[in-house]
Amino acid sequence: AELAKRISQLSADAIVIYELPLLIEKDLFNKFDKSIAVIADLELRKERAIARGVMDTDFDARVETQTTDELREQLVDITIYNNGTLSQLAEQVDSAWLKLTS
């Protein structure tokens, strides 16, 4: 309710960005004008999660409940691939922003 109230106070051309980790799994992607998925190779995601303190068994269990990257790519409007450097990621984010705002 609070979120809806805040959005109603914005101008009609405002861009609101939601970060929803389970956008596909919760069948929420159709509730938005545009959707973006950020995808990285599974092993890289696992390495990053473990570096943040996630147990490898917990990571594996989470992945089991998620949709495949292939399906995610089919359902969203824009896919960003996060396998490279921060600079490469920033370039893709900039490109996605241009697509959304043009």
Side-chain angles (χ1 to χ4, degrees):
E2 178 64 26
L3 185 57
K5 177 183 168 188
R6 288 183 184 197
I7 290 173
S8 71
Q9 297 170 345
L10 299 173
S11 66
D13 62 345
I15 296 175
V16 178
I17 299 173
Y18 296 87
E19 181 182 352
L20 300 170
L22 299 175
L23 184 72
I24 306 298
E25 293 80 359
K26 298 289 186 178
D27 197 28
L28 297 172
F29 65 97
N30 290 321
K31 300 193 182 312
F32 299 93
D33 296 327
K34 299 288 181 185
S35 56
I36 299 172
V38 179
I39 296 175
D41 292 338
L42 183 60
E43 284 304 312
L44 182 55
R45 291 194 323 243
K46 188 170 187 173
E47 287 174 22
R48 291 172 176 169
I50 290 171
R52 290 190 314 268
V54 175
M55 299 292 295
D56 61 341
T57 53
D58 291 339
F59 176 85
D60 294 338
R62 287 181 193 177
V63 168
E64 286 297 316
T65 65
Q66 296 174 355
T67 191
T68 65
D69 289 344
E70 292 79 15
L71 179 58
R72 191 176 313 279
E73 287 182 81
Q74 291 173 14
L75 295 174
V76 300
D77 299 294
I78 298 170
T79 302
I80 294 174
Y81 300 96
N82 189 12
N83 292 319
T85 65
L86 285 176
S87 176
Q88 291 167 327
L89 177 62
E91 287 176 19
Q92 291 182 77
V93 170
D94 289 345
S95 176
W97 182 254
L98 289 174
K99 288 178 187 174
L100 293 173
T101 58
S102 59

